[in-house]
Amino acid sequence: MNQNRLVTVALTALAPVSWGSTYFVTTQFLPADRPLFTGMMRALPAGLALVALTRRLPRGDWWWKAAVLGALNIGAFFPLLFLSAYRLPGGMAAVIGSVGPLWVAGLAALFLGEKPTLRTLLTGIAAALGVSLVVLKAAGAFDAIGVIAALGSSASMSAGTVFTKRWGRPEGVGPLVLTGWQLTAGGLLIAPVAFFVEGAPPALDGRNIAGYVYLALVNTAVAYWLWFRGIGRMTATSVTFLGPLSPLTAAVIGWAALGQALAPVQVLGMAIAFGATLAGQVTPKKPAKSAQSFSSTEDNQLELSMDVTSRPVRR
């Protein structure tokens, strides 16, 4: 793995690492039983802020493409994710979500021509097995709605990853702009459903507000910018194999912040899942550069703008 690819993988990996804090923040900081409102608050403020920052709107067929990607990556994914977080123990939701690499392998074969190899399938199974061992003690009781929501969120995000790779980006548009479009589209899709199903927004205290600010800025705006940036530079399968870092991070947070002990079998599972993540980055050949890639000059300008205006505050 050359240095440039190593940097790309490391930066992209920061996204699922950040997402590993979602269950902790949801259960410790946010109002209970508000998955739709939480999804809206995570997406819409961040999306509007990025659109205002970049001052670029879609053109032509990118209006509907941005809406579709926003629905898959945000509009459907967030509510289903938070519904599973509220109804299932974090461990069980993580196990179900860990099948993401297998979802992507199948979809990438259909829409991207990335034929899955035996190594890819075995690595995906190993990743799911490793995550299962990590969260084994947290499996908890079966909840049909929660399980369906977890499966749906994984499938939605996987499809969004594949179509983001398939469509690329319009000429001259960077990942920061694309992130703003998708977050705004997804948030606007969630908003009316949230108010219709859950009613008026709940009263928020300082702890709730802090949780939503963290989710919107660090966990969403920055993390999704890094994720979509990685999709543009890596294969869809390689990107999704970074997904197991999310439940591994959640397990570490549970150990460090909540005093949850890690048994030897869980440590073994972490090693297996992390090994699968690394194995998923080994590709036989470098993917062809997309004809829709934007210029490196604009990429650097957008990244500098992101660093200056949206750098997360260290807590």
Side-chain angles (χ1 to χ4, degrees):
M1 187 182 299
N2 61 46
Q3 185 175 0
N4 289 339
R5 177 170 167 74
L6 182 61
V7 171
T8 297
V9 171
L11 289 175
T12 308
L14 292 177
V17 167
S18 171
W19 297 333
S21 64
T22 301
Y23 289 111
F24 172 78
V25 174
T26 299
T27 57
Q28 301 297 315
F29 286 83
L30 304 184
D33 299 324
R34 289 298 185 114
L36 293 172
F37 178 76
T38 295
M40 181 194 71
M41 288 295 291
R42 183 181 174 187
L44 191 55
L48 292 174
L50 291 183
V51 170
L53 172 66
T54 58
R55 288 183 281 187
R56 295 286 298 272
L57 292 176
R59 293 182 179 180
D61 60 359
W62 268 97
W63 280 103
W64 70 263
K65 287 182 179 179
V68 170
L69 294 178
L72 292 172
N73 286 318
I74 311 297
F77 174 67
F78 279 5
L80 291 172
L81 174 69
F82 286 109
L83 179 60
S84 67
Y86 282 120
R87 298 189 68 99
L88 295 175
M92 181 180 287
V95 170
I96 298 170
S98 67
V99 301
L102 299 178
W103 280 116
V104 170
L107 292 171
L110 288 174
F111 297 104
L112 302 178
E114 295 181 9
K115 186 176 180 180
T117 63
L118 179 60
R119 180 182 62 81
T120 297
L121 297 176
L122 292 178
T123 303
I125 293 171
L129 173 63
V131 171
S132 300
L133 293 176
V134 171
V135 298
L136 188 61
K137 290 186 175 181
F142 180 85
D143 182 284
I145 294 177
V147 169
I148 292 172
L151 284 171
S153 67
S154 179
S156 179
M157 182 66 169
S158 298
T161 297
V162 169
F163 280 102
T164 299
K165 183 68 178 179
R166 178 181 174 87
W167 289 335
R169 297 189 294 271
E171 183 178 355
V173 169
L176 192 61
V177 176
L178 185 63
T179 301
W181 293 351
Q182 293 191 52
L183 289 174
T184 301
L188 290 174
L189 287 172
I190 298 171
V193 181
F195 288 117
F196 179 77
V197 173
E198 298 177 349
L204 303 178
D205 58 23
R207 189 177 183 84
N208 301 149
I209 293 173
Y212 283 126
V213 169
Y214 169 80
L215 286 182
L217 293 181
V218 180
N219 194 263
T220 302
V222 175
Y224 271 89
W225 166 62
L226 291 172
W227 186 253
F228 293 136
R229 178 181 180 275
I231 291 175
R233 303 181 183 201
M234 302 163 58
T235 66
T237 303
S238 294
V239 171
T240 198
F241 268 114
L242 296 173
L245 293 176
S246 180
L248 297 186
T249 301
V252 172
I253 291 175
W255 168 75
L258 301 177
Q260 298 173 350
L262 291 174
V265 67
Q266 293 174 296
V267 176
L268 173 62
M270 293 178 74
I272 293 173
F274 188 69
T277 297
L278 294 178
Q281 306 315 309
V282 178
T283 53
K285 62 181 179 178
K286 187 176 181 179
K289 188 174 182 179
S290 173
Q292 295 178 315
S293 296
F294 58 94
S295 69
S296 59
T297 300
E298 179 154 349
D299 191 12
N300 291 336
Q301 290 174 347
L302 287 170
E303 290 181 18
L304 178 61
S305 174
M306 184 65 177
D307 289 340
V308 171
T309 59
S310 301
R311 184 174 296 161
V313 178
R314 292 182 181 270
R315 296 183 182 275

